[in-house]
Amino acid sequence: MIDSEGFDVGCIWFTDEAHLHLNGIVNKQNWRFWRSENPYWCEAKPLYSPKVTVWAAVCSRGIIGPFFIRETVTSERYVAILEQFVATQQVLEDRPRTEWFMQDGARPHRTEQVFRFLDEYFGNRVIALEYPKFTGAGMDWTPYSPDLTPCDYFLWAH
Protein backbone atom coordinates (compact mmCIF):
# COMPACT_ATOMS: atom_id res chain seq x y z
CA MET A 1 0.00 0.00 0.00
CA ILE A 2 2.84 2.39 0.76
CA ASP A 3 4.27 2.02 -2.76
CA SER A 4 1.11 1.63 -4.83
CA GLU A 5 -1.35 3.95 -3.09
CA GLY A 6 0.87 6.57 -1.49
CA PHE A 7 -0.11 5.36 1.98
CA ASP A 8 1.24 7.70 4.67
CA VAL A 9 2.29 5.76 7.79
CA GLY A 10 2.30 9.08 9.64
CA CYS A 11 -1.50 9.13 9.38
CA ILE A 12 -2.10 6.08 11.59
CA TRP A 13 -3.56 6.62 15.04
CA PHE A 14 -1.82 3.89 17.07
CA THR A 15 -3.90 3.17 20.16
CA ASP A 16 -3.14 1.19 23.27
CA GLU A 17 -4.03 0.85 26.91
CA ALA A 18 -1.91 0.10 29.93
CA HIS A 19 -2.56 -0.73 33.55
CA LEU A 20 -0.80 1.66 35.91
CA HIS A 21 -0.59 0.26 39.42
CA LEU A 22 -1.09 2.86 42.15
CA ASN A 23 1.68 1.32 44.27
CA GLY A 24 4.34 2.12 41.64
CA ILE A 25 4.58 -1.27 39.90
CA VAL A 26 4.65 -0.98 36.09
CA ASN A 27 2.91 -3.58 33.92
CA LYS A 28 5.79 -4.73 31.68
CA GLN A 29 4.02 -7.37 29.59
CA ASN A 30 5.71 -6.22 26.39
CA TRP A 31 9.22 -5.91 27.82
CA ARG A 32 11.49 -8.82 26.92
CA PHE A 33 14.97 -9.51 28.22
CA TRP A 34 17.13 -12.01 26.32
CA ARG A 35 20.20 -13.70 27.75
CA SER A 36 22.25 -16.73 26.83
CA GLU A 37 21.60 -18.26 30.26
CA ASN A 38 18.82 -18.18 32.86
CA PRO A 39 19.47 -15.36 35.38
CA TYR A 40 17.11 -17.03 37.92
CA TRP A 41 15.58 -13.64 38.60
CA CYS A 42 12.12 -13.25 40.09
CA GLU A 43 10.06 -10.14 40.74
CA ALA A 44 7.48 -10.36 43.53
CA LYS A 45 4.25 -8.47 42.93
CA PRO A 46 1.09 -8.18 45.00
CA LEU A 47 -1.77 -10.23 43.56
CA TYR A 48 -4.50 -7.57 43.71
CA SER A 49 -2.73 -4.26 43.41
CA PRO A 50 -5.02 -1.22 42.97
CA LYS A 51 -4.63 0.12 39.44
CA VAL A 52 -6.08 2.41 36.82
CA THR A 53 -6.30 1.68 33.10
CA VAL A 54 -5.04 4.37 30.75
CA TRP A 55 -5.88 4.60 27.02
CA ALA A 56 -4.23 6.91 24.49
CA ALA A 57 -3.81 7.38 20.75
CA VAL A 58 -0.48 8.41 19.18
CA CYS A 59 -0.01 9.74 15.66
CA SER A 60 2.62 11.84 13.93
CA ARG A 61 0.21 14.74 14.50
CA GLY A 62 0.20 14.33 18.29
CA ILE A 63 -1.31 12.45 21.18
CA ILE A 64 -4.99 12.27 22.07
CA GLY A 65 -5.60 11.25 25.65
CA PRO A 66 -4.82 9.89 28.06
CA PHE A 67 -8.25 8.66 29.12
CA PHE A 68 -8.48 6.96 32.51
CA ILE A 69 -10.72 4.04 33.46
CA ARG A 70 -10.96 2.78 37.03
CA GLU A 71 -13.24 -0.15 36.24
CA THR A 72 -12.67 -3.16 34.01
CA VAL A 73 -12.64 -2.25 30.32
CA THR A 74 -15.86 -3.37 28.64
CA SER A 75 -17.01 -2.74 25.09
CA GLU A 76 -19.41 -0.05 26.37
CA ARG A 77 -16.63 1.76 28.25
CA TYR A 78 -14.32 1.36 25.25
CA VAL A 79 -16.90 2.91 22.90
CA ALA A 80 -17.26 5.83 25.35
CA ILE A 81 -13.49 6.38 25.10
CA LEU A 82 -13.66 6.15 21.29
CA GLU A 83 -16.42 8.77 21.27
CA GLN A 84 -14.19 11.12 23.30
CA PHE A 85 -11.28 10.36 20.95
CA VAL A 86 -13.35 11.14 17.84
CA ALA A 87 -14.74 14.35 19.38
CA THR A 88 -11.21 15.49 20.24
CA GLN A 89 -9.92 14.54 16.80
CA GLN A 90 -12.71 16.51 15.09
CA VAL A 91 -11.84 19.62 17.12
CA LEU A 92 -8.18 19.27 16.11
CA GLU A 93 -8.94 18.38 12.49
CA ASP A 94 -7.44 20.85 10.06
CA ARG A 95 -7.73 18.75 6.91
CA PRO A 96 -10.01 16.06 5.46
CA ARG A 97 -10.02 12.75 7.31
CA THR A 98 -7.26 10.57 5.86
CA GLU A 99 -6.23 8.95 9.11
CA TRP A 100 -6.22 5.25 9.86
CA PHE A 101 -7.15 3.80 13.24
CA MET A 102 -5.17 0.90 14.72
CA GLN A 103 -6.18 -1.08 17.80
CA ASP A 104 -4.94 -4.30 19.34
CA GLY A 105 -6.93 -7.50 19.67
CA ALA A 106 -8.15 -7.18 23.26
CA ARG A 107 -11.51 -8.88 23.71
CA PRO A 108 -13.53 -5.69 24.50
CA HIS A 109 -12.15 -4.16 21.27
CA ARG A 110 -13.61 -6.93 19.09
CA THR A 111 -17.33 -6.60 19.68
CA GLU A 112 -20.08 -5.74 17.23
CA GLN A 113 -20.73 -2.46 19.06
CA VAL A 114 -17.08 -1.36 18.71
CA PHE A 115 -16.82 -2.45 15.08
CA ARG A 116 -20.05 -0.60 14.20
CA PHE A 117 -18.64 2.58 15.75
CA LEU A 118 -15.28 2.24 13.96
CA ASP A 119 -17.01 1.47 10.65
CA GLU A 120 -19.19 4.56 10.99
CA TYR A 121 -16.27 6.90 11.61
CA PHE A 122 -13.26 5.32 9.86
CA GLY A 123 -14.86 2.97 7.30
CA ASN A 124 -12.18 0.89 5.59
CA ARG A 125 -9.31 2.72 7.36
CA VAL A 126 -9.15 0.42 10.40
CA ILE A 127 -6.41 -2.02 11.37
CA ALA A 128 -7.88 -4.41 13.93
CA LEU A 129 -8.17 -8.11 14.68
CA GLU A 130 -11.36 -9.57 13.12
CA TYR A 131 -12.48 -6.17 11.76
CA PRO A 132 -12.42 -7.27 8.09
CA LYS A 133 -14.52 -10.35 8.96
CA PHE A 134 -17.19 -8.10 10.45
CA THR A 135 -17.22 -5.24 7.93
CA GLY A 136 -15.58 -6.69 4.81
CA ALA A 137 -13.17 -3.73 4.82
CA GLY A 138 -10.10 -2.53 6.64
CA MET A 139 -6.92 -4.41 7.43
CA ASP A 140 -6.69 -7.42 9.74
CA TRP A 141 -4.38 -7.31 12.74
CA THR A 142 -2.19 -10.37 12.38
CA PRO A 143 -3.29 -13.03 14.90
CA TYR A 144 -0.72 -13.83 17.58
CA SER A 145 1.33 -10.78 16.64
CA PRO A 146 2.74 -8.83 19.57
CA ASP A 147 0.99 -5.72 20.78
CA LEU A 148 3.76 -3.32 19.78
CA THR A 149 2.79 0.30 19.30
CA PRO A 150 4.51 3.66 19.83
CA CYS A 151 2.61 3.80 23.13
CA ASP A 152 4.63 0.80 24.37
CA TYR A 153 7.98 2.32 23.38
CA PHE A 154 7.34 6.00 23.90
CA LEU A 155 4.34 6.91 26.00
CA TRP A 156 3.91 4.43 28.86
CA ALA A 157 7.48 4.88 30.08
CA HIS A 158 6.65 8.51 30.89
Side-chain angles (χ1 to χ4, degrees), residues 95-112:
R95 62 177 187 223
R97 289 185 295 170
T98 57
E99 285 88 4
W100 281 67
F101 182 87
M102 190 285 310
Q103 70 178 13
D104 63 16
R107 188 72 211 135
H109 301 180
R110 297 182 285 141
T111 65
E112 183 176 342

Side-chain angles (χ1 to χ4, degrees), residues 4-151:
S4 63
E5 298 176 27
F7 182 77
D8 183 4
V9 178
C11 288
I12 299 176
W13 284 103
F14 293 96
T15 67
D16 197 19
E17 57 202 32
H19 302 294
L20 303 179
H21 295 261
L22 302 180
N23 62 3
I25 293 175
V26 178
N27 181 11
K28 299 179 289 221
Q29 68 180 5
N30 290 325
W31 296 6
R32 303 289 183 254
F33 300 96
W34 297 92
R35 292 189 57 167
S36 58
E37 55 196 52
N38 188 346
Y40 297 102
W41 177 69
C42 180
E43 180 181 9
K45 297 181 189 176
L47 188 56
Y48 297 106
S49 169
K51 64 183 177 263
V52 65
T53 302
V54 182
W55 184 93
V58 176
C59 182
S60 64
R61 297 179 58 202
I63 298 172
I64 295 182
F67 299 105
F68 297 93
I69 310 165
R70 285 199 173 274
E71 303 89 9
T72 303
V73 178
T74 63
S75 62
E76 292 80 17
R77 289 183 182 122
Y78 185 59
V79 168
I81 288 173
L82 293 177
E83 288 170 347
Q84 292 176 23
F85 163 74
V86 166
T88 305
Q89 185 189 24
Q90 287 175 336
V91 168
L92 299 174
E93 193 73 32
D94 60 353
R95 62 177 187 223
R97 289 185 295 170
T98 57
E99 285 88 4
W100 281 67
F101 182 87
M102 190 285 310
Q103 70 178 13
D104 63 16
R107 188 72 211 135
H109 301 180
R110 297 182 285 141
T111 65
E112 183 176 342
Q113 182 182 10
V114 171
F115 287 161
R116 259 191 271 119
F117 180 87
L118 293 175
D119 186 48
E120 180 183 324
Y121 187 73
F122 289 100
N124 66 345
R125 298 179 319 273
V126 175
I127 304 168
L129 183 62
E130 298 179 0
Y131 183 77
K133 272 195 267 181
F134 179 79
T135 63
M139 194 180 306
D140 206 5
W141 178 275
T142 309
Y144 308 111
S145 66
D147 172 16
L148 303 175
T149 71
C151 295

